[in-house]
Coordinates of all heavy atoms in Angstrom, one line a residue:
C1 N 4.3 3.3 -16.3 CA 3.8 4.7 -16.4 C 2.4 4.8 -17.0 O 1.6 5.7 -16.5 CB 4.8 5.5 -17.2 SG 5.8 6.6 -16.2
P2 N 2.0 4.0 -17.9 CA 0.7 4.2 -18.5 C -0.5 4.1 -17.5 O -1.4 4.8 -17.5 CB 0.6 3.1 -19.6 CG 2.0 2.8 -19.9 CD 2.8 3.0 -18.7
D3 N -0.3 3.2 -16.5 CA -1.3 3.1 -15.5 C -1.5 4.3 -14.7 O -2.7 4.5 -14.2 CB -1.0 1.9 -14.6 CG -1.0 0.6 -15.3 OD1 -1.6 0.5 -16.3 OD2 -0.4 -0.4 -14.8
V4 N -0.6 5.1 -14.4 CA -0.7 6.3 -13.5 C -0.6 7.6 -14.3 O -0.5 8.7 -13.8 CB 0.3 6.3 -12.3 CG1 0.1 5.0 -11.4 CG2 1.8 6.3 -12.8
H5 N -0.5 7.5 -15.6 CA -0.5 8.6 -16.5 C 0.7 9.5 -16.4 O 0.7 10.7 -16.5 CB -1.7 9.5 -16.4 CG -3.0 8.7 -16.5 ND1 -3.4 8.1 -17.7 CD2 -3.9 8.3 -15.5 CE1 -4.5 7.4 -17.4 NE2 -4.8 7.6 -16.2
C6 N 1.9 8.9 -16.1 CA 3.1 9.6 -16.0 C 3.8 9.6 -17.4 O 3.6 8.7 -18.2 CB 4.0 9.1 -14.9 SG 4.8 7.6 -15.1
A7 N 4.7 10.6 -17.6 CA 5.4 10.7 -18.8 C 6.7 9.8 -18.8 O 7.3 9.5 -19.9 CB 5.7 12.1 -19.2
G8 N 7.3 9.6 -17.7 CA 8.5 8.8 -17.5 C 8.8 8.5 -16.1 O 8.2 9.1 -15.2
A9 N 9.5 7.4 -15.9 CA 9.8 7.0 -14.5 C 11.2 6.3 -14.5 O 11.6 5.6 -15.4 CB 8.8 6.1 -14.0
V10 N 11.8 6.5 -13.3 CA 13.1 5.8 -13.1 C 12.9 5.2 -11.6 O 12.5 5.9 -10.7 CB 14.3 6.7 -13.1 CG1 15.6 6.0 -12.7 CG2 14.4 7.3 -14.5
A11 N 13.4 3.9 -11.4 CA 13.3 3.3 -10.1 C 14.6 2.8 -9.6 O 15.4 2.3 -10.4 CB 12.2 2.2 -10.1
T12 N 14.9 2.9 -8.3 CA 16.0 2.4 -7.6 C 15.5 1.6 -6.4 O 14.2 1.5 -6.2 CB 17.0 3.4 -7.1 OG1 16.4 4.2 -6.0 CG2 17.4 4.3 -8.3
D13 N 16.4 1.0 -5.7 CA 15.9 0.3 -4.4 C 15.3 1.2 -3.4 O 14.5 0.7 -2.6 CB 17.1 -0.5 -3.8 CG 17.6 -1.6 -4.7 OD1 16.9 -2.0 -5.6 OD2 18.8 -2.0 -4.5
T14 N 15.7 2.4 -3.4 CA 15.2 3.4 -2.4 C 14.1 4.3 -2.8 O 13.4 4.8 -1.9 CB 16.4 4.1 -1.7 OG1 17.1 4.8 -2.8 CG2 17.4 3.2 -1.0
V15 N 14.1 4.7 -4.0 CA 13.1 5.7 -4.5 C 12.8 5.5 -6.0 O 13.6 5.0 -6.8 CB 13.7 7.2 -4.3 CG1 15.0 7.4 -5.2 CG2 12.7 8.2 -4.5
S16 N 11.5 5.8 -6.3 CA 11.1 5.9 -7.7 C 10.8 7.3 -8.0 O 10.2 8.1 -7.2 CB 9.8 5.0 -7.8 OG 10.1 3.7 -7.7
I17 N 11.2 7.8 -9.2 CA 11.0 9.1 -9.6 C 10.1 9.1 -10.8 O 10.4 8.5 -11.8 CB 12.3 9.9 -9.9 CG1 13.3 9.9 -8.7 CG2 12.1 11.3 -10.4 CD1 14.7 10.2 -9.0
L18 N 8.9 9.8 -10.7 CA 8.0 9.8 -11.8 C 7.8 11.2 -12.2 O 7.7 12.2 -11.4 CB 6.6 9.3 -11.3 CG 6.6 7.8 -10.9 CD1 6.9 7.7 -9.4 CD2 5.3 7.2 -11.2
I19 N 7.7 11.4 -13.6 CA 7.5 12.7 -14.1 C 6.2 12.7 -14.8 O 5.9 11.8 -15.5 CB 8.6 13.1 -15.2 CG1 10.0 12.9 -14.6 CG2 8.4 14.4 -15.7 CD1 10.4 13.8 -13.5
F20 N 5.4 13.8 -14.6 CA 4.1 13.8 -15.1 C 4.0 15.0 -16.1 O 4.8 15.9 -16.0 CB 3.0 14.0 -14.0 CG 2.9 12.8 -13.1 CD1 3.7 12.5 -12.2 CD2 1.8 11.9 -13.4 CE1 3.6 11.3 -11.4 CE2 1.7 10.7 -12.7 CZ 2.6 10.5 -11.6
G21 N 3.0 14.9 -17.0 CA 2.9 16.0 -17.9 C 2.2 17.3 -17.3 O 2.4 18.4 -17.8
R22 N 1.5 17.1 -16.3 CA 0.9 18.2 -15.5 C 1.0 18.1 -14.0 O 1.0 16.9 -13.5 CB -0.7 18.2 -15.9 CG -1.0 18.4 -17.3 CD -2.5 18.3 -17.6 NE -3.2 17.3 -16.8 CZ -4.5 17.2 -16.7 NH1 -5.3 18.0 -17.4 NH2 -5.0 16.2 -16.0
S23 N 1.2 19.2 -13.4 CA 1.3 19.2 -11.9 C 0.1 18.5 -11.2 O 0.3 17.8 -10.2 CB 1.6 20.6 -11.4 OG 2.7 21.1 -11.9
R24 N -1.0 18.7 -11.8 CA -2.3 18.2 -11.2 C -2.3 16.7 -11.1 O -2.6 16.0 -10.2 CB -3.5 18.7 -11.9 CG -4.8 18.1 -11.4 CD -5.1 18.8 -10.1 NE -6.4 18.3 -9.7 CZ -6.7 18.0 -8.4 NH1 -5.7 18.1 -7.5 NH2 -7.9 17.5 -8.1
D25 N -1.8 16.1 -12.2 CA -1.7 14.6 -12.2 C -0.6 14.1 -11.2 O -0.8 13.1 -10.6 CB -1.2 14.2 -13.7 CG -2.3 14.3 -14.7 OD1 -3.5 14.4 -14.3 OD2 -1.9 14.5 -15.9
A26 N 0.5 14.9 -11.0 CA 1.5 14.5 -10.0 C 0.9 14.7 -8.7 O 1.1 13.8 -7.8 CB 2.7 15.5 -10.2
Q27 N 0.1 15.7 -8.4 CA -0.6 15.9 -7.1 C -1.5 14.7 -6.8 O -1.5 14.2 -5.7 CB -1.5 17.1 -7.1 CG -0.7 18.4 -6.7 CD -1.7 19.6 -6.7 OE1 -2.6 19.7 -7.6 NE2 -1.5 20.5 -5.8
L28 N -2.3 14.3 -7.7 CA -3.2 13.2 -7.6 C -2.5 12.0 -7.2 O -2.9 11.2 -6.3 CB -4.2 13.1 -8.8 CG -5.1 14.2 -9.0 CD1 -5.8 14.0 -10.4 CD2 -6.2 14.3 -7.9
Y29 N -1.5 11.7 -7.9 CA -0.7 10.4 -7.7 C 0.0 10.4 -6.3 O -0.2 9.5 -5.6 CB 0.3 10.3 -8.8 CG 1.0 8.9 -8.6 CD1 0.4 7.7 -8.8 CD2 2.4 8.9 -8.2 CE1 1.1 6.5 -8.6 CE2 3.1 7.7 -7.9 CZ 2.4 6.5 -8.2 OH 3.0 5.3 -7.9
E30 N 0.6 11.6 -6.0 CA 1.3 11.7 -4.6 C 0.3 11.6 -3.6 O 0.6 10.9 -2.6 CB 2.0 13.0 -4.6 CG 3.0 13.1 -3.4 CD 2.3 13.6 -2.1 OE1 1.2 14.3 -2.1 OE2 2.8 13.3 -1.1
A31 N -0.9 12.0 -3.7 CA -2.0 11.9 -2.7 C -2.3 10.4 -2.4 O -2.8 10.1 -1.3 CB -3.2 12.7 -3.1
S32 N -2.2 9.6 -3.4 CA -2.5 8.1 -3.2 C -1.3 7.4 -2.5 O -1.5 6.2 -2.2 CB -2.7 7.6 -4.6 OG -1.6 7.4 -5.3
L33 N -0.2 8.0 -2.3 CA 0.9 7.3 -1.7 C 0.9 7.5 -0.2 O 0.6 8.5 0.3 CB 2.2 7.9 -2.3 CG 2.4 7.8 -3.8 CD1 3.7 8.5 -4.2 CD2 2.4 6.4 -4.3
S34 N 1.6 6.6 0.5 CA 1.8 6.7 1.9 C 3.2 7.3 2.2 O 3.4 7.8 3.3 CB 1.6 5.3 2.6 OG 2.5 4.4 2.1
N35 N 4.1 7.2 1.2 CA 5.4 7.7 1.5 C 5.9 8.3 0.2 O 6.8 7.9 -0.4 CB 6.3 6.4 1.8 CG 7.6 6.8 2.5 OD1 7.6 7.9 3.1 ND2 8.5 5.9 2.6
G36 N 5.4 9.5 -0.1 CA 5.7 10.2 -1.3 C 6.0 11.7 -1.1 O 5.8 12.2 0.0
Y37 N 6.5 12.3 -2.1 CA 6.9 13.8 -2.2 C 6.7 14.2 -3.5 O 7.0 13.6 -4.5 CB 8.3 14.0 -1.7 CG 8.9 15.3 -1.8 CD1 8.5 16.3 -0.9 CD2 9.6 15.7 -2.9 CE1 9.0 17.6 -1.0 CE2 10.2 17.0 -3.0 CZ 9.8 18.0 -2.0 OH 10.3 19.2 -2.1
Q38 N 6.0 15.4 -3.6 CA 5.6 16.0 -4.9 C 6.1 17.4 -5.0 O 5.9 18.2 -4.1 CB 4.1 15.9 -5.2 CG 3.7 16.4 -6.5 CD 3.0 17.8 -6.5 OE1 2.4 18.0 -5.4 NE2 3.1 18.5 -7.5
I39 N 6.8 17.8 -6.1 CA 7.1 19.2 -6.3 C 6.8 19.4 -7.9 O 7.5 18.6 -8.7 CB 8.4 19.6 -5.9 CG1 8.7 21.0 -6.1 CG2 9.5 18.7 -6.5 CD1 9.9 21.6 -5.4
G40 N 6.0 20.3 -8.2 CA 5.7 20.5 -9.6 C 5.1 19.3 -10.3 O 4.2 18.6 -9.7
D41 N 5.8 18.9 -11.4 CA 5.3 17.7 -12.0 C 6.1 16.4 -11.7 O 6.1 15.4 -12.4 CB 5.3 17.9 -13.5 CG 6.7 18.3 -14.1 OD1 7.6 18.4 -13.3 OD2 6.7 18.3 -15.4
V42 N 6.9 16.5 -10.6 CA 7.8 15.4 -10.2 C 7.3 14.8 -8.9 O 6.9 15.6 -8.0 CB 9.2 15.8 -10.0 CG1 10.2 14.8 -9.5 CG2 9.7 16.5 -11.3
V43 N 7.2 13.4 -8.8 CA 6.8 12.8 -7.6 C 7.9 11.7 -7.3 O 8.4 11.0 -8.1 CB 5.5 11.9 -7.8 CG1 5.2 11.1 -6.6 CG2 4.3 12.9 -8.1
L44 N 8.3 11.8 -6.0 CA 9.2 10.7 -5.5 C 8.4 9.8 -4.6 O 7.6 10.2 -3.8 CB 10.3 11.4 -4.5 CG 11.2 12.5 -5.2 CD1 12.1 12.9 -4.1 CD2 11.9 12.0 -6.4
E45 N 8.6 8.5 -4.9 CA 7.9 7.5 -4.1 C 9.0 6.7 -3.4 O 9.8 6.0 -4.0 CB 7.1 6.6 -5.0 CG 6.3 5.5 -4.3 CD 5.5 4.7 -5.2 OE1 5.3 4.9 -6.4 OE2 4.8 3.7 -4.6
F46 N 9.0 6.8 -2.0 CA 10.2 6.3 -1.2 C 9.8 4.9 -0.9 O 8.7 4.5 -0.6 CB 10.3 7.1 0.0 CG 10.8 8.5 -0.3 CD1 9.9 9.6 -0.2 CD2 12.0 8.8 -0.7 CE1 10.3 10.9 -0.5 CE2 12.4 10.2 -1.1 CZ 11.5 11.1 -1.0
A47 N 10.9 4.1 -0.8 CA 10.7 2.6 -0.3 C 10.5 2.8 1.3 O 10.9 3.7 1.9 CB 12.0 1.9 -0.5
P48 N 9.8 1.8 1.8 CA 9.5 1.8 3.3 C 10.7 1.8 4.1 O 10.7 2.2 5.2 CB 8.7 0.5 3.5 CG 8.3 0.0 2.1 CD 9.2 0.7 1.1
T49 N 11.8 1.3 3.5 CA 13.1 1.2 4.3 C 13.9 2.4 4.4 O 14.9 2.5 5.1 CB 13.9 0.0 3.8 OG1 14.2 0.3 2.3 CG2 13.2 -1.3 3.9
I50 N 13.6 3.5 3.7 CA 14.4 4.7 3.6 C 14.2 5.4 4.9 O 13.1 5.5 5.5 CB 13.9 5.6 2.4 CG1 15.1 6.7 2.1 CG2 12.6 6.2 2.6 CD1 14.9 7.4 0.8
D51 N 15.3 6.0 5.5 CA 15.3 6.8 6.7 C 15.0 8.2 6.4 O 15.0 8.7 5.3 CB 16.5 6.5 7.6 CG 17.8 7.1 7.0 OD1 17.8 8.1 6.3 OD2 18.9 6.4 7.1
A52 N 14.7 8.9 7.5 CA 14.4 10.3 7.3 C 15.5 11.2 6.8 O 15.2 12.1 6.0 CB 13.9 10.9 8.7
A53 N 16.7 11.0 7.1 CA 17.8 11.7 6.5 C 17.9 11.5 5.0 O 18.2 12.5 4.3 CB 19.1 11.3 7.2
Q54 N 17.8 10.3 4.6 CA 17.9 10.0 3.1 C 16.7 10.7 2.4 O 16.9 11.2 1.3 CB 17.8 8.5 2.9 CG 19.1 7.7 3.3 CD 18.8 6.2 3.1 OE1 17.9 5.6 3.7 NE2 19.8 5.6 2.4
R55 N 15.6 10.5 3.0 CA 14.4 11.1 2.4 C 14.6 12.7 2.2 O 14.3 13.2 1.2 CB 13.1 10.9 3.2 CG 11.9 11.5 2.6 CD 10.6 11.2 3.5 NE 9.6 12.1 3.0 CZ 8.4 11.6 2.7 NH1 8.1 10.3 2.9 NH2 7.4 12.3 2.3
T56 N 15.0 13.3 3.3 CA 15.2 14.7 3.2 C 16.3 15.1 2.1 O 16.1 16.1 1.4 CB 15.7 15.3 4.6 OG1 14.7 15.0 5.5 CG2 16.0 16.7 4.6
A57 N 17.3 14.3 2.0 CA 18.4 14.6 1.0 C 17.8 14.5 -0.4 O 18.0 15.3 -1.2 CB 19.5 13.6 1.2
Y58 N 17.0 13.5 -0.6 CA 16.4 13.4 -1.9 C 15.4 14.5 -2.2 O 15.4 15.1 -3.3 CB 15.5 12.1 -2.0 CG 16.3 10.7 -2.4 CD1 16.3 9.7 -1.5 CD2 16.9 10.6 -3.6 CE1 17.0 8.6 -1.7 CE2 17.7 9.5 -3.9 CZ 17.7 8.5 -3.0 OH 18.4 7.3 -3.3
E59 N 14.6 14.9 -1.2 CA 13.7 16.0 -1.4 C 14.4 17.3 -1.8 O 14.0 18.0 -2.6 CB 12.8 16.2 -0.2 CG 11.8 15.1 0.0 CD 11.1 15.2 1.4 OE1 11.3 16.0 2.2 OE2 10.3 14.3 1.6
R60 N 15.5 17.5 -1.1 CA 16.3 18.8 -1.3 C 16.9 18.7 -2.7 O 16.9 19.8 -3.4 CB 17.4 18.9 -0.3 CG 16.9 19.4 1.1 CD 18.0 19.6 2.0 NE 17.5 19.9 3.3 CZ 18.1 19.8 4.5 NH1 19.3 19.2 4.5 NH2 17.6 20.1 5.6
I61 N 17.4 17.7 -3.1 CA 18.0 17.6 -4.4 C 17.0 17.9 -5.5 O 17.2 18.6 -6.5 CB 18.7 16.2 -4.7 CG1 19.9 16.1 -3.8 CG2 19.0 16.0 -6.1 CD1 20.5 14.7 -3.7
V62 N 15.8 17.2 -5.4 CA 14.8 17.4 -6.4 C 14.2 18.8 -6.4 O 14.0 19.5 -7.4 CB 13.6 16.4 -6.2 CG1 12.5 16.7 -7.1 CG2 14.2 15.0 -6.5
A63 N 14.1 19.4 -5.2 CA 13.6 20.8 -5.1 C 14.6 21.8 -5.7 O 14.1 22.7 -6.5 CB 13.4 21.1 -3.6
R64 N 15.8 21.5 -5.6 CA 16.8 22.3 -6.3 C 16.8 22.1 -7.8 O 16.9 23.1 -8.6 CB 18.2 22.0 -5.8 CG 18.6 22.9 -4.7 CD 20.1 22.8 -4.3 NE 20.1 22.0 -3.1 CZ 20.9 21.1 -2.7 NH1 22.0 20.7 -3.6 NH2 20.9 20.4 -1.6
A65 N 16.6 20.9 -8.2 CA 16.6 20.6 -9.7 C 15.4 21.2 -10.3 O 15.4 21.7 -11.5 CB 16.7 19.1 -9.9
V66 N 14.2 21.1 -9.7 CA 13.0 21.5 -10.2 C 12.7 23.0 -10.1 O 12.2 23.7 -11.0 CB 11.8 20.8 -9.6 CG1 10.5 21.3 -10.1 CG2 11.9 19.3 -9.9
G67 N 13.2 23.5 -8.9 CA 12.9 24.9 -8.6 C 13.7 25.9 -9.4 O 13.4 26.9 -9.8

C-alpha cells in the first residue's frame, strides 16, 4: 500500500481491493490499471482471468456497499 498511497488493501486470486484516503488518489490509481474499477475511495483491480460476469458481480457489490 505505501507505494500507491492506499490506506488498506485485501487481495484474492481474482480481485484486489484497495481503499484510499481520498477519491482523487483512487482515481489516479485506477487510471493506471488496465483492468480496474473505481467508486469513491475504493478501487478493484481484477485478475486477467476474471470473466465479465464475475467482474460485474464484484462491481455491483462494491457499488452497493459504498453507495
Side-chain angles (χ1 to χ4, degrees):
C1 252
D3 294 341
V4 297
H5 308 289
C6 69
V10 176
T12 70
D13 292 341
T14 55
V15 66
S16 295
I17 304 167
L18 296 91
I19 307 294
F20 291 82
R22 299 180 318 175
S23 295
R24 179 72 178 137
D25 292 335
Q27 274 182 321
L28 292 171
Y29 183 70
E30 193 274 334
S32 73
L33 301 175
S34 62
N35 202 15
Y37 172 76
Q38 182 254 331
I39 183 166
D41 59 355
V42 178
V43 174
L44 302 181
E45 183 175 356
F46 299 104
T49 56
I50 196 167
D51 65 38
Q54 289 174 308
R55 180 183 169 129
T56 299
Y58 278 118
E59 290 173 358
R60 285 183 182 155
I61 289 166
V62 171
R64 269 188 253 142
V66 173

